[in-house]
C-alpha cells in the first residue's frame, strides 16, 4: 500500500539541529523526497534520495534512509528562524508511470529565537 | 520564466456554482499535475497530463471535476456544482520527465477555494 506518516509538530531553538522523521510503506519506492511549504508559497523541493543510498548531504541538510525499517529522516543543522515551515516527505511509487507523489501529512517546524 | 503560476490565488464561491482554475507550467515541461491539499494534510494527487493527454485520474476526482490541457501548455481545472467539501488548496505542478530520475516537480502557489 501507499502510506507516508510523519509526526505533526517539532519545536527547536535557533542554532540547534532539527530532525524530522518519516515512515513509508511502499518498500519498492526508489526515490524519496523532502519538500518545504511556507505560508502563501508553493511547495519547494529541498532534496531527494535514491534508495541505493543510505545518506545524502546538501549544505545544512542531511537525509538518512533506513530501507529495512522504511524510515527517512531530514536533519537541518544550525536551524534558523527562516526554516520555520511545514516539511513534507513524499515517495513516488516506481511501478507507477505517472510518477505522482504520495505525501505525508507534514511536520510543522517552529524555530524559537 | 519565473516558475509555475496559478490563477486565481483565491476563490470564494457559493455552493452549487461552477469554478475554473488555471495553471501555467514552466515552459517546455511535458508533465503537468493537479493536487488537492486540505487543512493539516499533505497534497493528494488528482490527475496528470503528459503533454496534452490526460493519462490518469484519481478516485478523488468525481465526475464534477474536469481538467484540460488543450495545447500541452496551460491547464484548466473546472469544478461544477461546487460543494463545501471541495474547499481546499488546489496545487499545480510541472516537470520535465523522461524517467523517474528526472521527477522534480515544481509547484505553483496554489488556488485556495472556499465554498460557502
Amino acid at each position: 500500500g501507499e502510506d507516508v506518516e510523519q509526526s505533526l509538530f517539532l519545536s527547536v531553538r535557533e542554532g540547534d539541529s532539527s530532525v524530522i522523521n518519516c515512515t513509508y510503506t511502499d518498500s519498492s519506492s526508489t526515490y524519496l523526497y523532502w519538500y518545504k511549504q511556507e505560508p502563501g508559497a508553493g511547495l519547494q523541493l529541498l532534496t531527494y534520495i535514491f534508495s541505493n543510498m543510505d545518506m545524502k548531504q546538501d549544505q545544512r541538510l542531511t537525509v538518512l534512509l533506513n530501507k529495512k525499517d522504511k524510515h527517512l529522516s531530514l536533519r537541518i543543522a544550525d536551524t534558523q528562524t527562516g526554516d520555520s515551515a511545514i516539511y513534507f516527505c513524499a515517495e513516488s511509487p516506481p511501478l507507477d508511470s505517472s510518477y505522482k507523489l504520495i505525501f505525508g501529512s507534514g511536520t510543522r517546524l517552529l524555530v524559537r529565537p | 520564466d519565473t516558475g509555475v503560476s496559478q490563477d486565481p490565488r483565491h476563490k470564494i464561491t457559493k455552493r452549487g456554482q461552477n469554478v475554473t482554475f488555471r495553471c501555467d507550467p514552466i515552459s517546455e515541461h511535458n508533465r503537468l499535475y493537479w493536487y488537492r491539499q486540505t487543512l493539516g494534510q499533505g497534497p493528494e494527487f488528482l490527475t496528470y497530463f503528459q503533454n496534452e493527454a490526460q493519462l490518469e485520474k484519481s478516485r478523488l476526482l468525481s465526475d464534477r471535476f474536469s481538467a484540460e490541457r488543450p495545447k500541452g501548455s496551460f491547464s484548466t481545472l473546472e469544478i461544477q456544482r461546487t460543494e463545501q467539501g471541495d474547499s481546499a488548496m488546489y496545487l499545480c505542478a510541472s516537470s520535465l520527465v523522461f524517467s523517474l530520475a528526472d521527477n522534480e516537480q515544481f509547484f505553483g502557489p496554489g488556488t485556495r477555494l472556499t465554498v460557502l
Side-chain angles (χ1 to χ4, degrees):
Chain A
E2 302 168 344
D3 195 13
V4 180
E5 295 186 352
Q6 301 179 238
S7 53
L8 291 179
F9 184 74
L10 176 65
S11 177
V12 301
R13 195 182 299 270
E14 187 175 19
D16 289 349
S17 292
S18 307
V19 179
I20 302 171
N21 295 302
C22 170
T23 58
Y24 60 99
T25 57
D26 192 333
S27 58
S28 60
S29 287
T30 53
Y31 284 90
L32 295 145
Y33 306 85
W34 282 104
Y35 278 83
K36 177 183 181 182
Q37 187 175 41
E38 296 178 274
L43 287 149
Q44 174 194 358
L45 178 65
L46 290 177
T47 188
Y48 66 92
I49 189 167
F50 185 54
S51 60
N52 70 350
M53 300 167 68
D54 297 324
M55 185 183 84
K56 180 179 180 181
Q57 187 153 3
D58 184 1
Q59 299 182 347
R60 292 191 298 123
L61 304 178
T62 302
V63 179
L64 296 178
L65 175 60
N66 181 330
K67 282 197 72 177
K68 175 176 170 289
D69 296 335
K70 295 177 209 157
H71 184 265
L72 182 73
S73 68
L74 174 70
R75 178 178 180 269
I76 306 173
D78 187 24
T79 315
Q80 303 297 307
T81 55
D83 294 325
S84 292
I86 302 176
Y87 291 81
F88 294 94
C89 65
E91 61 180 347
S92 186
L95 300 180
D96 183 343
S97 61
S98 74
Y99 303 155
K100 62 177 172 280
L101 297 172
I102 310 296
F103 287 88
S105 56
T107 299
R108 182 178 294 276
L109 174 64
L110 176 66
V111 182
R112 308 185 307 275
Chain B
D1 193 311
T2 56
V4 179
S5 61
Q6 293 187 245
D7 183 69
R9 296 289 304 274
H10 304 274
K11 179 70 177 178
I12 300 174
T13 191
K14 292 182 179 179
R15 190 175 52 189
Q17 298 294 305
N18 299 344
V19 294
T20 301
F21 310 141
R22 177 180 169 121
C23 170
D24 286 89
I26 294 172
S27 298
E28 310 298 328
H29 276 192
N30 56 352
R31 290 206 175 186
L32 187 147
Y33 298 81
W34 285 99
Y35 293 83
R36 182 172 70 185
Q37 184 178 21
T38 54
L39 201 61
Q41 299 298 315
E44 296 174 292
F45 169 79
L46 292 178
T47 188
Y48 90 101
F49 293 82
Q50 171 87 20
N51 300 312
E52 68 275 6
Q54 186 176 18
L55 297 183
E56 184 177 336
K57 293 191 282 188
S58 160
R59 288 172 298 167
L60 294 174
L61 217 64
S62 75
D63 56 8
R64 295 184 298 105
F65 288 71
S66 62
E68 294 182 344
R69 193 183 185 199
K71 297 181 181 178
S73 57
F74 74 92
S75 175
T76 58
L77 178 67
E78 180 183 15
I79 309 174
Q80 296 182 324
R81 306 180 303 281
T82 51
E83 301 172 357
Q84 288 183 323
D86 297 331
S87 295
M89 177 77 85
Y90 290 84
L91 296 167
C92 175
S94 70
S95 63
L96 181 61
V97 171
F98 300 102
S99 73
L100 187 54
D102 307 314
N103 192 26
E104 179 173 358
Q105 295 186 21
F106 294 83
F107 282 79
T111 294
R112 181 170 295 284
L113 172 67
T114 302
V115 182
L116 302 175

